[in-house]
Amino acid sequence: MGALKETLRAVLNEEREKIKSLVSSHGDRTVDQVTLAQVFQGSRGIVSIFCDTSAVPPAKGLIVRGYPIGELAGKLPEDVFYLLLAGKLPTDAQRKNLQDEWAARNTVPDYVWKVVDALPQDTHPMTMLNTAVLCMQRESVFAKRYAEGMAKDEYWETTLEDALALTARLPAIAAYVYRRCFNKGPRLEGKPGLDWAGDYVQRLGFADPKGELTKLMRLYLVLHSDHGGGNVSANVAGTVNSALSDLYYALSAGLNGLAGPLHGLANQECLAWIQDLMEQFKGTPSVEQISKFAEETIAAKRVVPGYGHAVLRVTDPRFSAFVEFGKQHCPGDPVFKTALNVYEAVPKVLQKHPKIKNPWPNVDAVSGSLLHHYGLTEQNYYTVLFSLSRALGICAQAVHARGCGLPIVRPTALTYDELQDALKT
Ligand code: CMX
């Protein structure tokens, strides 16, 4: 792990010093205030987490280490993982080094396959994935070294070791979950020399003669990798990591959060919503028909999946990157065309409901239609793909949190009476 570890050692030393100096010079300054309403609004807008891997300004969308996400659309997931970890895009040699680190760790222990095989086949793919991640906890180098009395300044190195092992193995595990859940035949091995996304497509079992699915997968795995520190998956994983639970525990916890329909599961729900729509109107529905369908969804007290966001107040640039891909590669696909018509119709419908703060599409609104075009039609699986990507951000954030010596997360919760008392002061 020499080169990557040494780069990170320097990066983390610098980051730790910056934080120390900031807190010692300005530790008593106020950066935010909390209203009573915010306490009941899922902590929305309350500044209480430090995360340097990426930012989500509401009017711009995701910025990874200074790069607006659209600028990273042509990169490989390994480039973005390196960027998240080291703060800079890798050189060719650094990318190759990371790929070699992964190749050296990508053998999944045999018992993991047995655990996955022991689950009923109709288990949700996210449960299969997370069970596999959690059952590997016994492999944690962090946990082993901690039990041996590891010093605090080694925490990040052993967390990096766990991060590399997990991200090396996840494509194989995610691919097998697909093959097992959807009767696609036995587990497939990767081929040496493929990039992270290419290896994953190979293991899924898609022929991909023109390489377009691999291209889409690279894009997908880049776009979902990180989204600041406050979203459910990153926040939960960060909290669990802060208790010095190892990364197997922390990642599994974060991905369990991603499995919720208001978060990552929305991508599976989006395609289902579009397909219901197409079924009801027997083909590609018009903008008027879609508007009516969306109104009916809201009237039934359901959400229109893929639209709205807790932070964003513009069209998600990750959505725009997917649309760009679809316009280049499958402009005539009926499901993709419907997703575009939905984009024309739904924001206008949502704008009529003032309580909905953001009427614009998020990342999930169109990705399913592209996967569907290339034959990955099993929508229950889509959150596994999201997980594979989000694992990169969660792992990078965990290494940084350990490297910066961030303490256990422990916000204050107040009872109703305590809140009333607080109002009196
Ligand atoms: N359709 C219908 N109603 C919506 C809506 C949508 N797309 N988005 C928000 N609303 C509703 C909320 O349910 C809430 O209603 P109640 O007051 O009755 O509870 C109200 O509008 C206010 O919500 P908000 O402040 O605008 O949004 P939140 O920050 O509370 O929630 C989110 C954000 C993403 C959960 C919400 O917009 C939503 O449920 N969207 C659909 C699901 C989705 O696409 N999730 C994926 C998000 C991306 C990700 O994290 O992966």
Side-chain angles (χ1 to χ4, degrees), residues 54-126:
S54 64
V56 186
K60 287 192 180 144
L62 177 60
I63 296 179
V64 181
R65 297 279 193 191
Y67 291 91
I69 188 66
E71 290 180 22
L72 297 174
K75 300 286 175 197
L76 294 176
E78 35 272 69
D79 294 338
V80 175
F81 187 44
Y82 191 96
L83 175 66
L84 289 163
L85 280 170
K88 286 195 176 117
L89 282 165
T91 60
D92 289 348
Q94 287 166 331
R95 181 190 310 111
K96 173 79 173 62
N97 175 253
L98 173 58
Q99 288 170 332
D100 290 347
E101 297 289 357
W102 272 339
R105 292 170 177 79
N106 71 2
T107 304
V108 177
D110 214 38
Y111 66 84
V112 177
W113 306 128
K114 291 188 179 129
V115 168
V116 173
D117 284 339
L119 295 169
Q121 199 185 5
D122 64 355
T123 302
H124 194 281
M126 279 300 286

Side-chain angles (χ1 to χ4, degrees), residues 68-361:
I69 188 66
E71 290 180 22
L72 297 174
K75 300 286 175 197
L76 294 176
E78 35 272 69
D79 294 338
V80 175
F81 187 44
Y82 191 96
L83 175 66
L84 289 163
L85 280 170
K88 286 195 176 117
L89 282 165
T91 60
D92 289 348
Q94 287 166 331
R95 181 190 310 111
K96 173 79 173 62
N97 175 253
L98 173 58
Q99 288 170 332
D100 290 347
E101 297 289 357
W102 272 339
R105 292 170 177 79
N106 71 2
T107 304
V108 177
D110 214 38
Y111 66 84
V112 177
W113 306 128
K114 291 188 179 129
V115 168
V116 173
D117 284 339
L119 295 169
Q121 199 185 5
D122 64 355
T123 302
H124 194 281
M126 279 300 286
T127 313
M128 280 202 191
L129 179 78
N130 275 337
T131 304
V133 168
L134 192 57
C135 83
M136 283 193 293
Q137 188 276 332
R138 63 191 289 285
E139 311 287 327
S140 170
V141 176
F142 176 88
K144 180 169 176 290
R145 294 279 297 109
Y146 188 86
E148 291 166 357
M150 159 177 66
K152 276 184 179 182
D153 51 11
E154 287 175 58
Y155 286 179
W156 72 266
E157 295 180 37
T158 48
T159 302
L160 176 63
E161 184 53 59
D162 286 351
L164 288 172
L166 270 162
T167 47
R169 292 170 183 171
L170 274 176
I173 296 171
Y176 183 54
V177 165
Y178 177 72
R179 295 187 66 78
R180 163 135 171 75
C181 281
F182 304 107
N183 283 322
K184 301 289 177 183
R187 187 158 46 82
L188 298 175
E189 295 300 327
K191 281 195 188 136
L194 295 174
D195 61 78
W196 203 61
D199 178 69
Y200 173 54
V201 171
Q202 149 72 25
R203 289 174 190 268
L204 281 171
F206 284 84
D208 197 25
K210 291 198 227 152
E212 285 188 15
L213 177 60
T214 303
K215 216 168 161 187
L216 173 62
M217 222 43 111
R218 287 180 187 139
L219 179 67
Y220 194 106
L221 296 172
V222 163
L223 295 183
H224 292 77
S225 58
D226 206 41
H227 211 232
N231 64 79
V232 169
S233 47
N235 186 12
V236 167
T239 302
V240 174
N241 186 56
S242 82
L244 297 188
S245 302
D246 62 61
L247 199 43
Y248 292 81
Y249 283 125
L251 179 63
S252 163
L255 298 185
N256 283 327
L258 198 69
L262 296 187
H263 192 18
L265 205 81
N267 61 5
Q268 106 170 30
E269 305 233 311
C270 269
L271 186 62
W273 193 84
I274 289 176
Q275 285 177 329
D276 285 351
L277 179 63
M278 293 178 75
E279 201 179 304
Q280 178 159 330
F281 295 104
K282 310 276 175 250
T284 313
S286 67
V287 170
E288 292 69 35
Q289 288 168 325
I290 296 170
S291 303
K292 185 168 166 284
F293 194 80
E295 284 291 8
E296 283 165 9
T297 301
I298 295 168
K301 298 193 190 311
R302 292 167 51 209
V303 295
V304 179
Y307 284 76
H309 200 271
V311 173
L312 284 174
R313 295 296 176 258
V314 288
T315 292
D316 190 332
R318 301 171 298 172
F319 169 87
S320 307
F322 275 134
V323 167
E324 199 51 45
F325 182 97
K327 284 182 175 169
Q328 266 182 35
H329 296 282
C330 55
D333 181 282
V335 183
F336 176 67
K337 273 165 67 180
T338 303
L340 289 187
N341 286 348
V342 170
Y343 181 35
E344 215 181 314
V346 164
K348 293 190 188 89
V349 172
L350 299 186
Q351 275 163 338
K352 288 189 214 149
H353 298 265
K355 73 170 184 180
I356 301 173
K357 296 188 192 68
N358 177 38
W360 305 110

Side-chain angles (χ1 to χ4, degrees), residues 354-387:
K355 73 170 184 180
I356 301 173
K357 296 188 192 68
N358 177 38
W360 305 110
N362 59 57
V363 66
D364 298 321
V366 72
S367 54
S369 69
L370 301 176
L371 295 168
H372 185 271
H373 175 77
Y374 290 105
L376 214 168
T377 54
E378 298 85 356
Q379 56 204 250
N380 280 7
Y381 184 72
Y382 292 172
T383 314
V384 172
L385 261 171
F386 195 153
S387 301

Side-chain angles (χ1 to χ4, degrees), residues 414 417-425:
L414 297 183
D417 289 344
E418 284 172 321
L419 278 171
Q420 284 207 314
D421 287 346
L423 291 176
K424 289 176 196 152
T425 58

